[in-house]
């Protein structure tokens, strides 16, 4: 078994879509980044890569590569779950937390899990929690959002 941890944060700006867990969430601001800036998918990708011992998201999807400009992070996640299988591992569990003061994310969690399962992580092996930061710090003041994730991988018999 292997464990990995992932963390990501993005700034909130006007004029961008807010995409979390592959879900387009209605809000007056969106997350700024080279890809769609899906903070949850990025934290999950880094947790998986950590458990695999395969570096980090920036090594696999460099922001200097135009291929990933405004890219769907669900598709990036799908590439990484393919890498997990090729390396002879299986994702046993993902737990995650998104920290956002606004908007309320809980109503979108089931749809996020559906999108993530489409990227190769079965629906019943991923947990997503949504928290505010009680008004403190950059997340609490609405300057940005953050996400944490952990991943447990098991070696598949080959
Ligand atoms: Mg990111």
């Amino acid at each position: 078994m292997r464990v990995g941890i992932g963390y990501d944060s993005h700034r909130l700006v006007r004029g961008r879509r807010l995409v979390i867990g592959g879900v387009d969430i209605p809000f007056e601001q969106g997350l700024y980044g080279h890809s769609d800036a899906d903070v949850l998918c990025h934290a999950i990708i880094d947790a998986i890569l950590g458990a695999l011992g395969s570096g980090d998201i920036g090594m696999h999807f460099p922001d200097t590569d135009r291929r990933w400009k405004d890219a769907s992070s669900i598709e990036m996640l799908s590439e990484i779950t393919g890498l997990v299988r090729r390396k002879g591992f299986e994702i046993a569990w993902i737990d995650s937390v998104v920290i956002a003061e606004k908007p309320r994310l809980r109503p979108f969690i089931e749809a996020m899990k559906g999108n993530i399962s489409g990227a190769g992580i079965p629906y019943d092996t991923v947990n997503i929690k949504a928290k505010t930061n009680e008004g403190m710090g950059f997340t609490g003041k609405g300057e940005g959002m953050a996400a944490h994730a952990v991943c447990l991988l098991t070696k598949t018999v080959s």
Side-chain angles (χ1 to χ4, degrees):
M1 290 186 288
R2 302 258 205 95
V3 292
I5 183 172
Y7 169 79
D8 194 33
S9 60
H10 283 271
R11 188 178 293 276
L12 275 165
V13 295
R14 297 201 172 268
R16 288 270 302 183
R17 295 156 63 212
L18 177 61
V19 182
I20 303 179
V23 180
D24 254 293
I25 295 170
F27 193 52
E28 63 262 28
Q29 292 178 296
L31 294 172
Y32 181 76
H34 184 69
S35 65
D36 63 6
D38 187 329
V39 70
L40 174 61
C41 284
H42 293 184
I44 291 174
I45 286 170
D46 259 356
I48 296 169
L49 289 172
L52 266 185
S54 294
D56 64 28
I57 190 169
M59 288 169 54
H60 292 263
F61 308 102
D63 62 9
T64 50
D65 189 340
R66 292 191 58 81
R67 187 176 164 209
W68 308 116
K69 177 96 181 89
D70 297 320
S72 158
S73 297
I74 284 288
E75 283 176 27
M76 293 157 66
L77 181 60
S78 187
E79 292 216 8
I80 295 303
T81 61
L83 180 66
V84 169
R85 288 189 295 273
R86 289 197 300 281
K87 288 205 158 200
F89 285 90
E90 187 174 77
I91 294 170
W93 192 253
I94 299 279
D95 190 20
S96 62
V97 55
V98 184
I99 303 155
E101 206 66 18
K102 276 193 291 188
R104 209 168 156 264
L105 298 178
R106 195 164 300 157
F108 302 99
I109 284 177
E110 291 304 304
M112 293 178 195
K113 288 177 65 172
N115 290 337
I116 288 166
S117 74
I121 304 172
Y123 188 88
D124 58 358
T125 58
V126 58
N127 189 63
I128 302 168
K129 305 182 291 295
K131 301 280 288 180
T132 73
N133 214 37
E134 305 267 332
M136 299 178 289
F138 74 89
T139 47
K141 290 176 172 45
E143 294 169 12
M145 294 183 181
H148 299 262
V150 290
C151 169
L152 179 70
L153 294 182
T154 51
K155 188 85 180 160
T156 49
V157 182
S158 51

